[in-house]
Amino acid sequence: MKMKIAIATAAILFAISSSVVSADARKNVTVNGQAVLFDQNPVVKSGVTLVQFKPIFKELGISVQWNQQKKQITGTKNGKHIVLTVGSKTAYVNGIPIKLDVPAQIVDGSVFVPLRFISESTGSYLGIKGNLIEIRNFSVQGATTQPQPVKPQVPQVNNATDDEITNYLNSYFSTVSYSKQIYDLRYLTVSNTNGFFNVGVYVEDLSQMKALISTGPEYPHKVMGEVANVLHTKYNKDNIGILMHLDFDAPFYPDSFHASAITDNGDGTYHVNVPAISLMYDFNKKTVRVYAINPDNKYNVSLLSEFKL
């Protein structure tokens, strides 16, 4: 299965919602087990954690240059060329524009950068446990196995509303990892459609969606299986449909996509929403079916795999 996609764009999300800069709960950052020493504490703005760029770049082994006139940071590591500009919501990785929710910015005289973007653009694992933020490079000795995030407890809940389930998924499963790949996800639930509890899952990073599509027919289930299992055990859902979309804003008309997938934002940009993968879980029969949705053929659906849970 192929997807012809011409635009690379991603929104880097962090799981806490806030609209102002705050540092009321100090966050400690480690890289490969070593604490990072900052002159100023990390801060949170609009739900995104930002850190001083010099200490974090140094610990990650990123060679860095600072252009005072342009207010621009350039980092280089392992063939990756990263550029962030203070005040700009567009970063660049090897020349490809990446959309940020929060730009690099100056806080009390120091330049702060989005932590999650830095870790993911360098291929590093990012784990969050309370106020501890852990970054680990897979290439370093002793870090070949990805640390596992703390799993939420799943006491059974009866009669939960759609909004409550949506908030739970967005709180605990906005980041899902499998086989050293990290996925940033957003959820919207729609219950009791065609006998299934349906969950819309939105992937805003092109490379993440390509990995989900191209790795193998059972791979999407390996990524999303824990989400389905929590819906079954916590919320008593026996029949679950998970529909995964590629979902992003494009700076110009993306004619590689079917017109039905494109919405004019009215400001010169366009919103793209492409359903790509469907997973149908039947916990009574203990089966899951994985379907591909072909965007080049009016979204025809084809069965990729059916197997036992």
Side-chain angles (χ1 to χ4, degrees):
M1 179 181 56
K2 298 181 180 178
M3 292 187 69
K4 299 178 181 178
I5 301 175
I7 298 173
T9 183
I12 308 303
L13 301 182
F14 198 77
I16 306 169
S17 177
S18 173
S19 60
V20 296
V21 174
S22 65
D24 37 273
R26 175 167 181 168
K27 294 185 179 296
N28 299 305
V29 181
T30 66
V31 174
N32 300 324
Q34 300 296 316
V36 181
L37 300 178
F38 297 103
D39 295 330
Q40 297 173 226
N41 293 337
V43 298
V44 177
K45 183 176 182 181
S46 299
V48 177
T49 296
L50 298 102
V51 296
Q52 284 181 283
F53 87 91
K54 285 185 178 179
I56 199 69
F57 273 50
K58 179 180 178 181
E59 290 295 334
L60 286 170
I62 302 173
S63 299
V64 63
Q65 293 182 331
W66 165 250
N67 187 313
Q68 176 64 30
Q69 183 176 2
K70 294 182 178 180
K71 298 288 191 292
Q72 190 173 82
I73 303 162
T74 301
T76 306
K77 181 183 180 182
N78 297 335
K80 290 283 185 70
H81 190 74
I82 305 165
V83 178
L84 299 99
T85 303
V86 170
S88 175
K89 283 193 173 183
T90 302
Y92 294 86
V93 178
N94 291 344
I96 298 173
I98 304 296
K99 183 181 176 182
L100 305 175
D101 279 352
V102 174
Q105 52 201 266
I106 296 175
V107 179
D108 294 333
S110 296
V111 179
F112 280 65
V113 296
L115 174 62
R116 191 181 189 92
F117 167 75
I118 297 302
S119 70
E120 294 186 354
S121 65
T122 57
S124 302
Y125 165 80
L126 177 65
I128 304 163
K129 299 176 183 178
N131 288 332
L132 175 64
I133 300 172
E134 178 188 17
I135 300 174
R136 193 171 290 275
N137 295 334
F138 295 121
S139 59
V140 302
Q141 186 175 5
T144 55
T145 301
Q146 179 173 325
Q148 294 300 311
V150 175
K151 299 296 189 299
Q153 298 298 312
V154 288
Q156 201 169 77
V157 176
N158 295 312
N159 301 319
T161 67
D162 288 353
D163 285 344
E164 288 171 341
I165 298 175
T166 302
N167 292 337
Y168 180 86
L169 293 176
N170 282 314
S171 295
Y172 288 102
F173 293 97
S174 61
T175 299
V176 175
S177 60
Y178 182 78
S179 187
K180 298 184 180 181
Q181 175 70 47
I182 298 174
Y183 298 92
D184 295 301
L185 307 175
R186 180 167 52 87
Y187 299 87
L188 175 66
T189 63
V190 180
S191 63
N192 301 322
T193 305
N194 298 324
F196 278 80
F197 180 77
N198 290 322
V199 181
V201 182
Y202 298 86
V203 181
E204 299 178 337
D205 186 297
L206 173 64
S207 63
Q208 293 177 9
M209 179 57 79
K210 289 176 69 176
L212 283 165
I213 292 170
S214 62
T215 304
E218 295 184 5
Y219 185 77
H221 160 63
K222 295 181 184 299
V223 173
M224 299 303 302
E226 186 177 0
V227 172
N229 188 60
V230 166
L231 290 172
H232 171 60
T233 57
K234 183 178 178 69
Y235 295 108
N236 306 312
K237 307 300 181 183
D238 293 328
N239 296 290
I240 301 167
I242 295 179
L243 181 59
M244 307 190 75
H245 304 248
L246 176 65
D247 186 87
F248 65 94
D249 286 323
F252 50 84
Y253 189 84
D255 55 10
S256 295
F257 295 96
H258 193 276
S260 63
I262 304 170
T263 303
D264 190 337
N265 288 331
D267 60 358
T269 65
Y270 297 85
H271 186 76
V272 178
N273 185 298
V274 182
I277 301 169
S278 176
L279 301 103
M280 308 298 289
Y281 289 86
D282 187 332
F283 281 92
N284 292 318
K285 296 181 178 179
K286 299 187 182 304
T287 60
V288 58
R289 287 170 287 160
V290 182
Y291 294 89
I293 304 174
N294 188 348
D296 296 327
N297 193 19
K298 297 182 179 179
Y299 305 116
N300 283 348
V301 176
S302 57
L303 179 65
L304 292 180
S305 181
E306 181 175 358
F307 53 95
K308 291 290 185 179
L309 292 171

